[in-house]
Amino acid sequence: MSKPLKEDYIIRIKSRIEQHVKEPVEQEEKEEFVELMTRGQFVQKGGSYYITYKETETTGYEGCTTTLKTCRRRKPRGDAAFGKGAGRYQLLIEKGKRNLCHYETGYGSMTLGVTADEIECGLTEKGGTAKFGYLLDANSAELVSRNRLEVTVTHVN
């Protein structure tokens, strides 16, 4: 039996996805904005911060747990790993490096390329904000979307 998640932090996630589609569509269909606020856990282990929260029916991943791991390195390059659910997918986001990630959907599995163009980690042991900007591509060349993610962590008093 798994240990219950100690949810003593407010996790606010703002996401912006710019779809890259070939056929002409309305501007509203090209961009998607999502904002989520939930309770979760925030811990520091070694040089990494872990943000963990349970998904709800609203996100479509009810019953899954999402963990965001951010690493601080001595070099001015950061990275982040973002996972959702039990083996459904994991994105490894490193600035300036393309990583291949396996992604399970309701229609089957696929492999996506992930390349970060922005990583800012303003997290401390008390919380803070981390920002990620990354590109998703399919078939090594076809751009799928540009994604921006801002995660803010605040301790509940």
Side-chain angles (χ1 to χ4, degrees):
M1 184 170 179
S2 65
K3 191 169 135 181
L5 188 64
K6 185 177 177 188
E7 299 176 324
D8 52 355
Y9 284 84
I10 297 293
I11 314 297
R12 173 176 266 138
I13 301 164
K14 295 180 185 178
S15 145
R16 177 179 176 204
I17 301 170
E18 299 171 28
Q19 301 289 334
H20 287 264
V21 291
K22 293 180 181 178
E23 64 275 356
V25 295
E26 297 295 321
Q27 183 64 31
E28 305 85 53
E29 295 177 33
K30 287 185 180 181
E31 290 186 323
E32 179 181 336
F33 298 91
V34 177
E35 187 167 345
L36 168 72
M37 188 167 61
T38 188
R39 293 179 75 108
Q41 183 180 53
F42 177 69
V43 296
Q44 180 182 12
K45 293 180 187 172
S48 301
Y49 294 102
Y50 295 83
I51 301 165
T52 303
Y53 61 93
K54 292 184 180 190
E55 295 287 346
T56 65
E57 185 178 340
T58 305
T59 64
Y61 293 100
E62 184 176 23
C64 296
T65 299
T66 294
T67 298
L68 173 66
K69 174 186 174 187
T70 62
C71 302
R72 289 191 155 213
R73 297 185 177 181
R74 291 181 200 162
K75 299 177 184 177
R77 183 186 115 197
D79 64 353
F82 180 72
K84 191 176 289 287
R88 285 190 187 223
Y89 71 82
Q90 178 180 13
L91 298 178
L92 178 59
I93 304 168
E94 294 180 282
K95 191 168 183 178
K97 183 177 178 185
R98 181 174 178 267
N99 290 294
L100 294 178
C101 301
H102 183 74
Y103 190 80
E104 289 287 335
T105 71
Y107 305 102
S109 61
M110 68 173 82
T111 300
L112 296 174
V114 182
T115 307
D117 55 2
E118 171 192 12
I119 295 179
E120 295 177 27
C121 185
L123 296 173
T124 69
E125 61 278 346
K126 296 180 181 181
T129 300
K131 296 180 183 180
F132 310 96
Y134 58 95
L135 302 172
L136 289 179
D137 69 74
N139 302 323
S140 300
E142 186 179 327
L143 184 61
V144 174
S145 64
R146 175 180 298 278
N147 303 272
R148 300 276 180 242
L149 189 67
E150 180 179 307
V151 180
T152 304
V153 180
T154 309
H155 191 266
V156 178
N157 293 332

